[in-house]
Amino acid sequence: MTHAPTLTAERTDLLSTLALHRGFLRHTVRGLSDEQAVARPTVSVLCPGGLIKHVMEMEHAWIRFVQGDDAGVGMPTTEEGMRAAQREHEQQFELLPGETLASVLARYDEVAAETERVIAAVPSLDTSYALPAAPWFEPGARWSVRRVLLHLIAETAQHAGHADIIRETIDGQKTMG
């Protein structure tokens, strides 16, 4: 008989903090139409729906990293791979044909549930993995599961702030204050 993993206080705190900031981000798009979700009312290329999509994709890539797959956080090794990765990165910040705000939010819920399952099951938050070679990582650096969670919290909080500014510009709605 196997038992479900028990969340430690630290894991609970980290996951709860991540969930809080996911909630702030999700709150910024509450009541927006798909047209408003792709609006870019500032000089930035960012839009509310694209920010949620990017944060969801980023979280998914880092949770794959925690499972031993660094493909989503590394740098391609060929020129063609770099061009494709750049296109994929840019597309993370927009809703593509066939994508709706509702579909992106549903996928974000799936990624959040996956994150919670993976973090509950990892043997230790101290387990670390080598970061792939990329200019944005220190050569030879390793990140623990704990460091990945802290990164996810910071990224989600930062982009929730971006989304809040954009939402206020769209319709005057203040979502975080």
Side-chain angles (χ1 to χ4, degrees):
M1 173 194 266
T2 59
H3 297 284
T6 304
L7 288 177
T8 63
E10 181 181 17
R11 288 178 203 227
T12 299
D13 286 347
L14 291 167
L15 289 172
S16 295
T17 301
L18 179 56
L20 174 71
H21 290 288
R22 278 193 212 109
F24 288 146
L25 181 57
R26 290 179 66 91
H27 187 77
T28 62
V29 299
R30 188 170 55 177
L32 288 182
S33 67
D34 285 335
E35 292 76 26
Q36 290 172 310
V38 298
R40 293 180 167 88
T42 68
V43 296
S44 170
V45 299
L46 302 176
C47 65
L51 281 167
I52 289 177
K53 183 178 170 185
H54 166 70
V55 170
M56 177 264 298
E57 294 285 353
M58 177 267 317
E59 182 173 328
H60 181 67
W62 280 109
I63 292 306
R64 284 181 32 217
F65 173 80
V66 166
Q67 295 173 300
D69 178 2
D70 68 7
V73 298
M75 186 170 160
T77 56
T78 66
E79 191 66 35
E80 182 181 328
M82 289 176 79
R83 282 193 300 275
Q86 180 62 34
R87 278 191 308 275
E88 287 174 17
H89 180 73
E90 289 168 2
Q91 290 175 345
Q92 281 184 7
F93 288 95
E94 60 185 271
L95 298 185
L96 300 175
E99 292 179 327
T100 64
L101 182 57
S103 69
V104 170
L105 288 169
R107 175 72 179 122
Y108 197 22
D109 286 341
E110 292 169 6
V111 169
E114 176 188 17
T115 296
E116 292 183 15
R117 281 190 305 275
V118 169
I119 296 307
V122 294
S124 170
L125 294 179
D126 294 323
T127 302
S128 69
Y129 301 89
L131 292 169
W136 47 86
F137 297 133
E138 183 179 329
R142 297 180 68 84
W143 276 15
S144 67
V145 175
R146 180 183 296 103
R147 175 67 180 91
V148 168
L149 282 170
L150 292 170
H151 178 72
L152 291 175
I153 291 166
E155 276 274 322
T156 304
Q158 178 182 15
H159 288 311
H162 294 145
D164 187 50
I165 291 167
I166 294 168
R167 174 64 188 260
E168 187 173 351
T169 305
I170 290 171
D171 65 3
Q173 179 70 38
K174 294 181 181 179
T175 60
M176 295 181 68

